[in-house]
Amino acid sequence: MIVSITGGTGFIGSHLVDRCLERGDEVRVLVRKTSNLRWLEGKNVQLIEGDIRDASSLEPFVRDADYVYHIAGVVKARDRAGYFDGNVKATENMLDATQRFAPNVRRFLYASSQTAAGPSSSLDRPVREDDTPQPITTYGESKIAAEDAVRARGKNLPWTIVRPPAMYGPRDTEIFIYFQTIARGLNSMIGFDDKRLSLLHAEDLVTGSILAAEAEVSLGETYFISSEEFYSWPQVGDITARILGSRFITLRLPHALVYGVAGVAQFIAGVQKKPATLNIEKARDITQRYWICDVSKARKDLGYRQHVGLEEGIRATVEWYRQQGWLKARK
């Protein structure tokens, strides 16, 4: 099969590239001149220069593809226009190019996000695919708008949408910061309430995405591909510390403090004209109590199951970080 993957140089996309190569697929990856190719070095992939925000560059990438996986997107931007350009307009470009140059495509799979749906109201009621989306950030709004763009073209294109939750695994740089903090003896937690989250290893997302792309029943459907268990941050911290062989102290940060720091960070980023890693919207995101979702539909339709447990996944991820020299090996 000819498989075209946007975001193939990144965390999730590169794991999808690896799985498709293992299956014997012909893999194309869209890259820019500035792309870091470290996760693709030495691999039998076809690198095609282009940009999802430049519709005219996409023809050689999607031409006659059997499957198009649109993984790339913007997770941090200076303003609303930046999010919508990188997530909505770019997705529309990919849809238009696929319809035009891959008329026999078997599936266009769009990787959205749990943020498109918004957080859950309670531990007993994780969000489901048929719930009315209630995104709480501009990023989430841009992801649901991109989903709407996919659905609007449903009559002319075989599509499926997957919504991942928080992710971790080898090559991830975001949760690495958390692991690094634990290794240094500090576990910072937001607020004093019991927060729960869906948290998935990259290999399970790749498995679920391929199942969604290839199942007949998934045509025109949306799925949460996520963990089957809801985790607490103390649980994640304890497992991480045990695997790292480190002791830590827990520092609880009041929500008011988080918002205060976020406001200052947002102001500084505005002065510097850079996207803020922490801003008021991010503070709203991380102070939510329940970022959890229901995977019943994926289990029923796709036969999806979570295969990588939390402890197994964290152990493998920590070992990878150590092999790369990102974390010091245990003495």
Side-chain angles (χ1 to χ4, degrees):
M1 295 295 161
I2 299 175
V3 179
S4 297
I5 302 172
T6 70
T9 62
F11 166 41
I12 298 300
S14 64
H15 284 284
L16 177 60
V17 168
D18 290 346
R19 185 74 63 84
C20 290
L21 289 175
E22 290 171 3
R23 289 153 48 99
D25 294 325
E26 178 182 331
V27 179
R28 300 172 181 168
V29 176
L30 189 69
V31 299
R32 296 174 300 195
K33 291 181 179 180
T34 58
S35 295
N36 188 330
L37 305 180
R38 57 182 172 174
W39 309 135
L40 302 179
E41 291 178 354
K43 297 176 181 177
N44 186 26
V45 299
Q46 184 179 0
L47 303 179
I48 298 180
E49 190 171 307
D51 193 318
I52 54 177
R53 291 168 294 188
D54 179 6
S56 65
S57 70
L58 299 175
E59 177 182 352
F61 173 64
V62 299
R63 180 171 289 283
D64 298 328
D66 294 293
Y67 293 92
V68 175
Y69 287 87
H70 182 32
I71 311 297
V74 170
V75 298
K76 185 167 64 174
R78 288 179 54 193
D79 53 27
R80 185 178 186 85
Y83 283 112
F84 275 72
D85 183 53
N87 291 329
V88 185
K89 181 57 178 176
T91 299
E92 291 173 344
N93 289 340
M94 284 297 304
L95 290 162
D96 292 343
T98 302
Q99 288 182 40
R100 184 176 179 185
F101 301 115
N104 297 317
V105 68
R106 299 189 180 195
R107 196 67 53 91
F108 181 100
L109 183 129
Y110 175 59
S112 182
S113 167
Q114 185 183 349
T115 61
S120 174
S121 59
S122 72
L123 185 60
D124 297 327
R125 183 58 169 81
V127 290
R128 299 167 185 162
E129 291 84 353
D130 58 358
D131 290 340
T132 300
Q134 297 182 350
I136 61 172
T137 62
T138 306
Y139 170 68
E141 291 173 359
S142 71
K143 296 300 278 188
I144 195 64
E147 287 189 15
D148 290 341
V150 174
R151 295 187 184 97
R153 287 159 168 76
K155 294 180 180 179
N156 302 315
L157 191 70
W159 59 266
T160 301
I161 295 168
V162 295
R163 292 174 176 168
M167 300 296 305
Y168 75 103
R171 304 174 190 165
D172 181 40
T173 57
E174 296 299 321
I175 205 166
F176 165 68
I177 298 172
Y178 175 78
F179 285 9
Q180 191 177 45
T181 304
I182 294 286
R184 292 172 176 171
L186 179 65
N187 184 18
S188 298
M189 289 195 288
I190 307 299
F192 298 91
D193 51 356
D194 176 30
K195 292 180 171 61
R196 300 295 178 94
L197 76 158
S198 297
L199 182 63
L200 189 67
H201 191 275
E203 291 297 331
D204 277 332
L205 177 58
V206 168
T207 297
S209 296
I210 292 175
L211 286 171
E214 297 185 350
E216 290 296 327
V217 71
S218 65
L219 185 66
E221 296 290 342
T222 301
Y223 295 94
F224 284 110
I225 303 296
S226 183
S227 59
E228 296 180 81
E229 183 178 349
F230 308 140
Y231 304 110
S232 69
W233 280 112
Q235 180 183 9
V236 176
D238 288 344
I239 291 174
T240 303
R242 184 169 68 251
I243 291 171
L244 288 169
S246 63
R247 297 179 180 179
F248 64 84
I249 60 172
T250 298
L251 178 63
R252 293 269 185 178
L253 304 177
H255 287 183
L257 176 61
V258 174
Y259 273 97
V261 173
V264 173
Q266 181 172 309
F267 173 77
I268 293 173
V271 171
Q272 296 176 340
K273 297 183 178 180
K274 296 180 179 179
T277 299
L278 178 63
N279 56 21
I280 297 298
E281 286 200 339
K282 187 63 177 178
R284 186 183 307 131
D285 182 310
I286 62 179
T287 55
Q288 296 301 308
R289 193 167 184 181
Y290 302 116
W291 275 110
I292 56 177
C293 54
D294 190 335
V295 297
S296 299
K297 182 179 177 181
R299 285 202 305 262
K300 176 178 177 292
D301 288 2
L302 311 176
Y304 166 79
R305 297 305 301 263
Q306 176 188 359
H307 292 292
V308 183
L310 185 63
E311 182 156 355
E312 174 191 356
I314 290 179
R315 187 177 301 280
T317 303
V318 166
E319 180 59 30
W320 186 89
Y321 287 148
R322 284 173 169 160
Q323 291 172 356
Q324 298 297 311
W326 293 17
L327 287 174
K328 292 183 179 179
R330 186 189 301 176
K331 296 181 180 179

